[in-house]
Amino acid sequence: MTSLSDSDTATTAVVSALRAAGCVFAEDEAELILGTARTPDELAAMVDRRAAGQPLEHVLGWAEFHGLRILVEPGVFVPRRRTEFLVDQALAQAPGASVVVDLCCGSGAVGAALAAALGNVELHAADIDPAAVGCARRNIAPYGGHAHVGDLFDALPAALRGRTGILAANVPYVPSDEVGLLPAEAREHEPLVALDGGGDGLDVLRRVAAGACDWLAPGGCVLVETSERQAEDSVETFRRAGLTTRLAASEELYANVVVGVRD
Ligand SMILES: C[S@@+](CC[C@H](N)C(=O)[O-])C[C@H]1O[C@@H](n2cnc3c(N)ncnc32)[C@H](O)[C@@H]1O
């Protein structure tokens, strides 16, 4: 069967439409859209949505993350490639973890990536936003994961206390008065609760640090992403919470991850 992407005419039309709408990577995006659309009508609708400014991943319905294809539904935070660094840090810190919690899970990309790499784990993902939890539930189902709605640790089953080997928490960390400076794709298509980290951006991070030790197994680790500017305060917050703490940075991915370990 001929796919839509086999037609030069269709490719040229999609590239032109995306270019006219200001998409910088029109050729790459056209290839992804053409490879995802199943019918000409679906293709036209996807091009229209992208031209109207929706994030490419919402238009496609998926994002690539740590070698996985993660479903991303409209209104759910799009997993960023830089967050793959947090996953790698978690795997390096706790390669034998058997209980994994993805707190502030969004699509569940982090939890899915950890479970895919670790193999047989007990996986829990939680988020305050029911739309995110619905999406995460689908992404972690192949790994037998459980998804929960609620405010940070309140969402988790009590049986996880003191047993968690990896607590990954990609919390929102944009300072409130900088949310307006984010690209329109984020501001207009991702929920505020996924972006806004409060006055200095560290409100949710502080609450995660304060609660982490209760949920970690001895030797278990908690990881958060932060910005370069916030890194020192973030590390200090983890230390004050009683965690043995280090900062990991990737220049290539422009990522900073704070890793705290319960002794
Ligand atoms: C930056 S997004 C990260 C999503 C996902 N972990 C990822 O890396 O793609 C932050 C997520 O935290 C969730 N969130 C914000 N405040 C929360 C809270 N108090 N309790 C639980 N989840 C929260 C948001 O709904 C959003 O899905």
Side-chain angles (χ1 to χ4, degrees):
M1 197 178 88
T2 318
S3 80
L4 292 168
S5 53
D6 291 335
S7 152
D8 285 349
T9 320
T11 305
T12 307
V14 173
V15 171
S16 303
L18 296 179
R19 222 181 254 145
C23 297
V24 180
F25 302 107
E27 280 86 0
D28 295 341
E29 295 197 5
E31 193 182 328
L32 291 167
I33 290 173
L34 282 154
T36 302
R38 289 161 301 188
T39 65
D41 283 352
E42 202 170 69
L43 175 64
M46 288 171 81
V47 173
D48 285 351
R49 288 172 61 203
R50 182 61 184 137
Q54 292 191 22
L56 177 66
E57 294 81 356
H58 285 163
V59 171
L60 296 173
W62 57 270
E64 195 190 326
F65 184 80
H66 214 266
L68 301 178
R69 189 174 274 213
I70 298 293
L71 303 171
V72 188
E73 290 162 3
V76 175
F77 184 86
V78 175
R80 309 298 203 255
R81 296 301 291 267
R82 74 166 163 268
T83 305
E84 293 177 354
F85 185 63
L86 183 150
V87 171
D88 289 335
Q89 289 299 313
L91 294 172
Q93 181 65 44
S98 57
V99 178
V100 172
V101 172
D102 181 1
L103 207 57
C104 295
C105 65
S107 66
V110 171
L114 288 170
L118 289 166
N120 196 16
V121 290
E122 179 182 342
L123 171 64
H124 294 263
D127 200 288
I128 201 163
D129 179 355
V133 174
C135 185
R137 187 166 284 127
R138 294 175 65 198
N139 282 313
I140 65 175
Y143 310 101
H146 309 273
H148 315 277
V149 180
D151 183 19
L152 295 184
F153 300 103
D154 291 352
L156 300 178
L160 288 174
R161 276 185 192 275
R163 291 183 52 233
T164 305
I166 295 175
L167 173 60
N170 188 18
V171 300
Y173 58 87
V174 180
S176 299
D177 62 5
E178 292 178 22
V179 171
L181 306 176
L182 291 173
E185 284 185 20
R187 264 187 292 115
E188 293 172 12
H189 299 283
E190 294 180 321
L192 186 61
V193 71
L195 306 169
D196 189 344
D200 65 353
L202 300 181
D203 284 2
V204 187
L205 183 149
R206 273 189 282 271
R207 293 179 55 213
V208 168
C213 279
D214 280 350
W215 297 85
L216 290 177
C221 57
V222 51
L223 303 97
V224 296
E225 199 172 274
T226 190
S227 71
E228 194 177 354
R229 182 158 50 101
Q230 295 162 327
E232 205 181 308
D233 286 346
S234 304
V235 166
E236 191 49 34
T237 302
F238 266 42
R239 287 207 174 114
R240 267 191 254 121
L243 295 152
T244 300
T245 304
R246 67 182 168 85
L247 177 70
S250 162
E251 276 185 28
E252 189 193 340
L253 290 171
Y254 198 60
N256 295 275
V257 169
V258 184
V259 185
V261 177
R262 185 192 150 189
D263 294 330

